Structure formats: C-alpha cells, structure tokens
Amino acid sequence: QVQLVESGGGLVQAGGSLRLSCAASGRTFSNYAMAWFRQAPGKEREFVSAINWLAMTDYADSVKGRFAISRDNAKNTVYQQMNSLKPEETAVYYCAADASFKISRHPSDYAYWGRGTQVTVSS
C-alpha cells in the first residue's frame, strides 16, 4: 500500500510560480512511476507530468517549458515546479503512483492517488 500526501498549493497571481510536493509512504518508492494530474471544476482529470524510476519524464504539451517534475528517492518525494502559471490552470492537483517502470498519461494506469492540493491562479 502506498499513501500519497500533496502539499504546496495555494493562491498565486498569473505569471507566478509554485512548487508542489508529494510525499509517499512505502519502501519501494524508487521503483514507482509518479505523475501529476489536475482537475478543474466541471472538467475531466487531465495529465500534467510524469516521471519514472530512471527519471525519464513526460509532460502535457500545455505545460512543456514551464513545469518540471523531479523526484528525490531518498526523501520519498516527487516535486512539480510550476512557472508562468495561467488562470486557466486553476485546479486541484493530484499526485499519482503506480508500481510500474513505464510512465503513462492515463489516470486509470495509476493505482494510488493523493487527496489533491488546490492551486488557484488569479488574473
């Protein structure tokens, strides 16, 4: 069983930055694929970024060049640095994990989820 706890959300002005953290329990964190998704009110959950055990990454086209996902296996933590935030990126951001070597953009491929952290970008 893996438990995920997100933190770092908040209110930021358009163009600002935030860094999200996701602390994971479990002894084999380093083997897990990790990802960030987001969900705005009335919209489906959408892929944002992912990282595998080799630190290979994937990003949604809309965040490439502005967001960066990273992991610290010693701290069992994955991060997402978000720069140049836009009002339309206001959403609850979720951390997800799966005991897989592959990274995926599909929510159904992740077995474990955190409760999410709210990110609000004001215009």
Side-chain angles (χ1 to χ4, degrees):
Q1 188 75 10
V2 174
Q3 291 185 330
L4 304 174
V5 179
E6 303 96 334
S7 61
L11 174 64
V12 64
Q13 288 188 332
S17 298
L18 283 174
R19 189 175 84 151
L20 305 182
S21 299
C22 173
S25 63
R27 293 175 293 177
T28 57
F29 171 80
S30 61
N31 295 337
Y32 279 66
M34 305 294 296
W36 289 96
F37 290 80
R38 63 189 178 193
Q39 188 166 19
K43 295 188 176 181
E44 293 186 353
R45 192 166 298 190
E46 67 170 347
F47 169 77
V48 179
S49 65
I51 187 168
N52 72 357
W53 69 294
L54 292 174
M56 295 175 64
T57 58
D58 188 25
Y59 296 94
D61 289 345
S62 61
V63 306
K64 281 181 181 176
R66 298 186 298 117
F67 288 17
I69 188 172
S70 60
R71 66 191 300 160
D72 184 338
N73 291 334
K75 296 182 178 179
N76 280 10
T77 302
V78 65
Y79 304 97
Q80 179 164 270
Q81 177 67 39
M82 307 186 297
N83 299 325
S84 302
L85 282 161
K86 305 174 182 180
E88 56 265 36
E89 295 179 311
T90 293
V92 177
Y93 283 70
Y94 296 92
C95 177
D98 196 73
S100 171
F101 294 144
K102 297 189 297 183
I103 50 178
S104 170
R105 296 186 173 197
H106 302 289
S108 59
D109 288 336
Y110 293 87
Y112 305 102
W113 291 83
R115 293 187 176 185
T117 185
Q118 176 71 45
V119 171
T120 302
V121 185
S122 64
S123 57

